[in-house]
Amino acid sequence: MASILRKSKVAAMIRTSTLQSQIRSMSNIPENTVYGGPKPQNPNQRVTLANLRQKHKRGEPITVVTAYDYPSAVHIDMAGIDVCLVGDSASMVVHGHDTTLPITVDEMLVHCRAVARGAKRPLLVGDLPFGSYESSSDQAVNTAVRILKEGGMDAIKLEGGSPSRITAAKAIVEAGIAVMGHVGLTPQAISVLGGFRPQGRNVASAVKVVQTALALQEAGCFSVVLECVPALVAAATTSALQIPTIGIGAGPFCSGQVLVYHDLLGMLQHPHHAKVTPKFCKQYCQVGEIIDKALLDYKEEVTNGSFPGPSHTPYKISADDTNGFLSELRKLGLDKAADAAEKNADSRLPNQGNPGSE
Ligand code: KIV
């Protein structure tokens, strides 16, 4: 009887440990190391297109924020944001380029993978970068497939609404990939737009916004970003469409809103190197100032020797091991190293491994 019980206990232990190692290799959950890590997240919680459709039907605004790396993705996840967009704005806010044009598919994939590790709940949308989808529908489908397969995204976004773009959007949807459209100011087209200019400010341009959005809907897009258009043009577009519109600089009459992570956090604000925050962007805090202050404080404390103090020097060595270590050092002819260990343990870090203390 005892042996049966022991066997079933061992089997249960093996099952638990196998499960634990599977969870670890399946996800971003680190072992219980000195670096800690996030709490496990439930993969079944992922926001789906159906969830977005239901929200839209109920008239509840959809929240979207961009992310480019693991920490921003974790924050967005924890905040319960619906959609996390790995935008090609990474080219500007992360890589420091003046436009979104230079970023490559391979660079986008690195951002996508990092975000996918951190954001387990939001729907993940990856931008197709400039130059990766304009040549043909085949090129567009191939890039979209990479964004899902290699980047771990759930959907892609592409800009513009020219006939070839609509055909490409349709081909991607037919390949089984959800597509978010993007009209109004489409930053990848600054060459023809003549810069980062708002759109829809005359009759022809306003009508074009609505028609392009309708064509994207017809192509099978699940939503459309409206960037930098007058609020009434956004209102008309939102009303004309059955799919949700996601506004950025397009006023309140959209089905949801998107902002760039760094912009909404006031992150790139340094007194001597302030990047322009777009007029439409509300800064919900000035993280840039907090970061500047923290870095200056760190520099000051390292310089004056107050960091790391006892509370940030956690690893102890017993008195016996300390004495053994010192005598080994001396045997190795490293008397100076032994003296330094003995002296410094005593002088700066009481009770932190100095000889004679535990
Ligand atoms: O790249 C991006 O961040 C975007 C949003 C501004 C919609 O396209």
Coordinates of all heavy atoms in Angstrom, one line a residue, residues 66 68 85-90 100 127 157 159 182 187 225 227 248 258-260, ligand 1:
T66 N 0.4 51.7 -29.3 CA 1.6 51.0 -30.0 C 2.5 50.5 -28.9 O 2.6 51.0 -27.8 CB 2.3 52.0 -30.9 OG1 3.0 52.9 -30.0 CG2 1.4 52.7 -31.9
Y68 N 6.6 48.4 -28.8 CA 7.8 48.0 -29.7 C 8.7 47.0 -29.0 O 9.6 46.5 -29.6 CB 8.6 49.2 -30.1 CG 7.7 50.4 -30.5 CD1 7.4 51.4 -29.7 CD2 7.1 50.4 -31.8 CE1 6.6 52.5 -30.0 CE2 6.3 51.4 -32.2 CZ 6.0 52.4 -31.3 OH 5.1 53.4 -31.7
L85 N -0.5 47.6 -31.2 CA -0.1 47.8 -32.5 C 1.5 47.9 -32.5 O 2.0 48.9 -31.9 CB -0.7 49.0 -33.2 CG -0.1 49.5 -34.5 CD1 -0.4 48.5 -35.6 CD2 -0.7 50.9 -34.9
V86 N 2.1 47.0 -33.2 CA 3.6 47.2 -33.4 C 3.7 48.0 -34.6 O 3.7 47.5 -35.8 CB 4.3 45.8 -33.5 CG1 5.8 46.0 -33.6 CG2 4.0 44.9 -32.3
G87 N 3.7 49.3 -34.4 CA 3.7 50.3 -35.5 C 5.0 50.5 -36.1 O 6.1 50.4 -35.5
D88 N 5.0 50.9 -37.4 CA 6.3 51.2 -38.0 C 6.8 52.6 -37.5 O 7.9 53.0 -37.8 CB 6.2 51.2 -39.6 CG 5.2 52.2 -40.1 OD1 4.5 52.8 -39.3 OD2 5.2 52.4 -41.3
S89 N 6.0 53.2 -36.6 CA 6.4 54.4 -35.9 C 7.7 54.1 -35.1 O 8.4 55.0 -34.7 CB 5.3 55.0 -35.1 OG 4.7 53.9 -34.3
A90 N 7.9 52.8 -34.9 CA 9.2 52.3 -34.2 C 10.4 53.0 -34.9 O 11.4 53.3 -34.3 CB 9.3 50.8 -34.3
T100 N 9.0 57.1 -41.1 CA 8.8 55.7 -40.9 C 9.4 54.8 -42.1 O 9.3 53.6 -42.0 CB 7.3 55.4 -40.8 OG1 6.6 55.8 -42.0 CG2 6.7 56.0 -39.6
D127 N 2.6 46.2 -38.2 CA 2.6 47.0 -39.4 C 3.4 46.4 -40.5 O 4.5 45.9 -40.3 CB 3.2 48.4 -39.1 CG 2.2 49.5 -39.2 OD1 1.2 49.4 -39.8 OD2 2.5 50.6 -38.6
K157 N -1.3 45.5 -40.4 CA -1.9 46.7 -40.8 C -1.1 47.2 -42.0 O 0.1 47.0 -42.1 CB -1.8 47.8 -39.7 CG -2.3 49.2 -40.1 CD -2.5 50.1 -39.0 CE -1.3 50.8 -38.5 NZ -0.6 51.7 -39.6
E159 N -1.0 50.6 -45.0 CA -1.4 52.0 -45.3 C -1.9 52.1 -46.7 O -1.4 51.5 -47.6 CB -0.2 52.9 -45.0 CG 0.2 53.0 -43.6 CD 1.3 54.1 -43.4 OE1 1.5 54.9 -44.3 OE2 1.8 54.1 -42.3
H182 N -5.6 51.7 -43.1 CA -5.0 53.0 -42.5 C -5.2 54.1 -43.6 O -4.6 54.0 -44.7 CB -3.6 52.8 -42.1 CG -2.9 53.9 -41.4 ND1 -1.8 53.8 -40.6 CD2 -3.2 55.2 -41.4 CE1 -1.5 54.9 -40.1 NE2 -2.3 55.9 -40.6
P187 N 1.8 58.0 -43.1 CA 3.2 58.5 -43.1 C 4.1 57.9 -44.1 O 5.1 58.5 -44.5 CB 3.6 58.2 -41.6 CG 2.3 58.1 -40.9 CD 1.3 57.6 -41.8
V225 N -7.7 52.5 -39.5 CA -7.2 53.7 -38.7 C -7.5 54.9 -39.6 O -7.2 55.0 -40.8 CB -5.7 53.5 -38.5 CG1 -5.0 54.8 -38.0 CG2 -5.4 52.4 -37.6
E227 N -6.1 58.7 -39.6 CA -5.1 59.5 -39.0 C -5.2 60.9 -39.5 O -5.2 61.2 -40.8 CB -3.7 58.9 -39.3 CG -2.6 59.7 -38.7 CD -1.2 59.0 -38.6 OE1 -1.1 57.8 -38.9 OE2 -0.2 59.7 -38.3
I248 N -6.7 58.6 -34.8 CA -5.5 59.2 -34.2 C -5.4 60.6 -34.8 O -5.2 60.8 -36.0 CB -4.2 58.4 -34.4 CG1 -3.0 59.1 -33.9 CG2 -4.0 57.9 -35.8 CD1 -1.7 58.3 -33.6
V258 N -6.2 55.4 -31.1 CA -4.9 54.8 -30.9 C -3.9 56.0 -30.7 O -4.1 57.1 -31.2 CB -4.4 54.0 -32.2 CG1 -4.5 54.8 -33.5 CG2 -3.0 53.5 -32.0
L259 N -2.9 55.7 -29.8 CA -1.8 56.7 -29.6 C -0.5 55.9 -29.6 O -0.5 54.7 -29.3 CB -2.0 57.5 -28.3 CG -3.0 58.7 -28.3 CD1 -3.0 59.3 -26.9 CD2 -2.7 59.7 -29.4
V260 N 0.5 56.6 -29.9 CA 1.9 56.1 -29.8 C 2.3 56.1 -28.4 O 2.2 57.1 -27.7 CB 2.8 56.9 -30.7 CG1 4.3 56.5 -30.5 CG2 2.5 56.6 -32.2
Ligands
KIV1 O1 2.9 53.2 -36.9 C1 2.1 53.6 -36.1 O2 2.3 53.8 -34.9 C2 0.7 53.8 -36.6 C3 -0.2 54.5 -35.7 C4 0.1 55.9 -35.6 C5 -1.6 54.3 -36.1 O3 0.5 53.6 -37.7

